[in-house]
């Protein structure tokens, strides 16, 4: 199997820094599965990282300025927050990225052997990945990079991890497949297997996790087990999401986590040095977010029978409005709901300590759900 990563996946996964990315790279390396990063994606990732560092620095400086106005005191290095050297921060990110790619044997695919003339001609064909002669340049370079790799390894199975399905995939096809415009460009290859995934965790669960051998849950250190509720609460509190299924709010975050119930853990081996431990759980969560005024009226009308006293859908949570005029269109609101979650820990067996931790929700909604 050969896996090719697109920019949108990497940006979503914290520019290679998320726990999901760590477990994916660790598993792929352990299973001897090749992971590739097109050079055009690497360059785009670096540009995005620089922009994000600049953006977050501006947010910090604006917040610091506001604090000075409100309190007359400036945040200083003695308060635990130092001024950021943007050039140094970006250099550190580049160094960290280079080390991550090297550590996990991620291979860089050079820019494709495609002339500017070929790109211009392709942009006027009206075929994917060009949406118009002006849009699709980088996507075309990514595709041509993939194409060269596929044509050199026609008997291999390929996986393309991308959220940009509108430019690479057939519409309304489940499971996702590459667009016929792209497949038609593969020279003399008709039966190559190319799967598309839009979610790194889903790919890990479906393709990689079943190939990892089980590990003894007895290798979980006792001190980790004793503090699991604290770990769960820390991961739950202020967790942001586009929304949760069954919760009628958008742009939500968790503001309280009560009655945390953890199930029995399962463990998978990452070679001889680390294990991946999964704890299932449920929580009674307080959730804040927003709801459109029209949706709120419809939701409230649907909650009751005509007499207005008996709940029509007992599972529907009651919405509490905190600001009925947040803006012209939406209201700030909160609900209480029981949520299922999973916590994944990577534990160093020798050091008996947590290397990374992450929480996920099976009912979480995203733009790419």
């Amino acid at each position: 199997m050969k896996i090719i990563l697109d920019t949108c996946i990497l940006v979503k996964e914290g520019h290679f820094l998320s726990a999901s990315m760590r477990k994916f790279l660790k598993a792929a390396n352990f299973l001897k599965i090749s992971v590739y990063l097109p050079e055009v994606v690497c360059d785009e990732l670096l540009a995005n990282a620089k922009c994000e560092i600049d953006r977050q620095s501006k947010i910090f400086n604006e917040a610091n300025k506001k604090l000075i106005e409100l309190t007359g005191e400036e945040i200083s290095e003695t308060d635990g927050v130092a001024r950021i050297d943007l050039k140094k921060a970006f250099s550190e990110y580049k160094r960290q990225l280079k080390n991550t790619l090297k550590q996990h044997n991620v291979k860089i695919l050079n820019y494709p052997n495609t002339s500017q003339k070929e790109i211009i001609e392709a942009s006027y064909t009206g075929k994917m990945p060009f949406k118009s002669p002006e849009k699709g340049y980088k996507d075309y370079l990514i595709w041509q990079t993939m194409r060269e790799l596929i044509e050199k390894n026609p008997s291999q199975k390929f996986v393309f991890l991308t959220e940009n399905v509108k430019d690479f995939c057939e519409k309304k096809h489940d499971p996702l497949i590459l667009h016929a415009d792209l497949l038609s460009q593969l020279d003399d290859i008709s039966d190559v297997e190319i799967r598309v995934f839009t979610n790194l965790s889903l790919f890990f669960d479906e393709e990689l996790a079943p190939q990892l051998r089980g590990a003894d849950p007895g290798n979980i250190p006792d001190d980790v087990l004793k503090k699991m509720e604290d770990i769960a609460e820390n991961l739950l509190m202020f967790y942001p999401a586009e929304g949760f299924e069954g919760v009628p709010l958008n742009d939500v975050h968790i503001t309280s986590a009560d009655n945390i119930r953890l199930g029995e853990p399962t463990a998978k081996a990452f070679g001889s040095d680390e294990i991946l431990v999964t704890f299932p759980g449920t929580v009674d969560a307080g959730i804040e977010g927003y709801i459109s005024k029209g949706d709120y009226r419809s939701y409230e009308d649907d909650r009751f029978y005509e007499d207005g006293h008996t709940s029509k859908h007992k599972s529907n949570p009651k919405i509490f409005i905190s600001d009925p005029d947040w803006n012209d269109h939406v209201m700030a609101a909160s609900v209480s709901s029981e949520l299922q979650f999973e916590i994944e820990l990577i534990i160093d067996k020798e050091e008996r300590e947590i290397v990374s931790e992450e929480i996920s929700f099976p009912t979480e909604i995203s733009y790419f759900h």
Side-chain angles (χ1 to χ4, degrees):
M1 181 189 296
K2 296 183 182 297
I3 303 169
I4 302 152
L5 301 171
D6 194 8
T7 314
C8 44
I9 289 287
L10 302 177
V11 171
K12 184 177 180 181
E13 295 298 336
H15 297 79
F16 268 106
L17 300 177
S18 74
S20 289
M21 181 59 71
R22 177 183 171 84
K23 73 176 183 181
F24 159 73
L25 292 174
K26 185 78 177 179
N29 199 30
F30 174 62
L31 295 170
K32 295 182 170 32
I33 295 173
S34 298
V35 179
Y36 294 90
L37 187 67
E39 190 176 5
V40 59
V41 168
C42 188
D43 288 344
E44 189 175 12
L45 183 68
L46 288 171
N48 274 309
K50 186 176 186 303
C51 289
E52 185 64 10
I53 290 171
D54 291 344
R55 187 179 76 86
Q56 293 296 341
S57 176
K58 289 177 182 177
I59 291 173
F60 167 76
N61 288 332
E62 289 171 2
N64 190 36
K65 182 179 178 181
K66 180 63 69 174
L67 282 172
I68 294 171
E69 293 174 357
L70 292 172
T71 67
E73 295 186 10
E74 183 174 0
I75 294 176
S76 65
E77 292 188 23
T78 57
D79 298 311
V81 181
R83 293 288 182 181
I84 298 172
D85 183 331
L86 298 183
K87 186 175 181 179
K88 183 179 179 181
F90 180 60
S91 295
E92 175 60 21
Y93 171 75
K94 287 177 67 176
R95 184 194 67 78
Q96 188 177 43
L97 176 62
K98 182 179 179 180
N99 288 343
T100 297
L101 299 181
K102 182 179 180 180
Q103 177 185 356
H104 296 286
N105 297 313
V106 178
K107 302 174 180 64
I108 299 293
L109 295 171
N110 293 332
Y111 275 83
N113 186 26
T114 304
S115 69
Q116 292 294 322
K117 179 178 174 64
E118 289 174 312
I119 297 173
I120 294 299
E121 289 176 347
S123 72
Y124 284 99
T125 62
K127 294 183 177 181
M128 293 292 185
F130 283 102
K131 297 182 286 291
S132 70
E134 295 79 26
K135 296 181 179 180
Y137 182 87
K138 285 183 290 188
D139 291 337
Y140 184 76
L141 291 177
I142 292 170
W143 165 242
Q144 290 301 321
T145 302
M146 290 175 54
R147 177 185 171 185
E148 290 182 0
L149 179 67
I150 293 168
E151 290 179 350
K152 289 177 183 176
N153 303 272
S155 61
Q156 288 283 322
K157 175 182 177 181
F158 292 88
V159 172
F160 184 35
L161 279 162
T162 182
E163 288 186 335
N164 187 11
V165 296
K166 65 181 184 299
D167 294 327
F168 288 109
C169 299
E170 291 284 357
K171 294 180 180 179
K172 298 180 180 179
H173 196 287
D174 188 19
L176 289 169
I177 60 172
L178 286 180
H179 197 280
D181 287 350
L182 304 180
L183 294 175
S184 67
Q185 298 173 37
L186 295 173
D187 294 336
D188 301 322
I189 302 176
S190 58
D191 58 351
V192 63
E193 183 179 357
I194 308 171
R195 297 191 65 190
V196 180
F197 284 85
T198 62
N199 184 287
L200 192 65
S201 293
L202 179 63
F203 170 73
F204 179 89
D205 291 342
E206 289 192 11
E207 293 288 327
L208 301 186
Q211 300 184 58
L212 297 172
R213 67 175 184 269
D216 183 2
N219 287 321
I220 304 172
D222 289 339
D223 60 332
V224 171
L225 294 172
K226 290 177 182 177
K227 64 182 180 182
M228 272 309 302
E229 283 197 17
D230 291 336
I231 292 172
E233 184 175 7
N234 288 335
L235 291 173
L236 285 161
M237 288 299 293
F238 305 112
Y239 182 92
E242 174 63 18
F244 297 105
E245 293 172 6
V247 175
L249 306 181
N250 298 315
D251 295 325
V252 303
H253 60 277
I254 296 174
T255 54
S256 66
D258 299 317
N259 193 19
I260 296 172
R261 288 89 71 193
L262 291 168
E264 290 297 317
T266 57
K268 294 277 191 177
F270 274 155
S272 60
D273 56 340
E274 294 180 346
I275 57 173
L276 173 68
V277 181
T278 303
F279 285 87
T282 57
V283 60
D284 297 331
I287 303 167
E288 293 185 0
Y290 304 91
I291 187 169
S292 75
K293 295 177 179 180
D295 287 345
Y296 175 71
R297 286 190 293 269
S298 298
Y299 182 84
E300 285 298 294
D301 288 344
D302 193 44
R303 287 186 72 242
F304 298 100
Y305 285 114
E306 290 184 2
D307 61 12
H309 297 293
T310 306
S311 175
K312 185 176 181 182
H313 298 297
K314 292 183 179 180
S315 61
N316 282 8
K318 179 174 176 55
I319 301 175
F320 298 90
I321 302 299
S322 56
D323 188 342
D325 290 304
W326 178 259
N327 63 31
D328 291 341
H329 306 289
V330 304
M331 299 186 289
S334 64
V335 299
S336 296
S337 182
E338 182 182 272
L339 296 178
Q340 295 180 329
F341 63 85
E342 278 192 347
I343 293 175
E344 288 186 332
L345 307 177
I346 296 179
I347 298 175
D348 186 303
K349 290 168 62 178
E350 182 176 347
E351 299 294 331
R352 298 181 68 79
E353 63 181 24
I354 298 171
V355 176
S356 71
E357 53 190 44
E358 184 175 48
I359 193 165
S360 61
F361 298 83
T363 61
E364 183 173 348
I365 297 169
S366 73
Y367 289 113
F368 306 98
H369 195 68

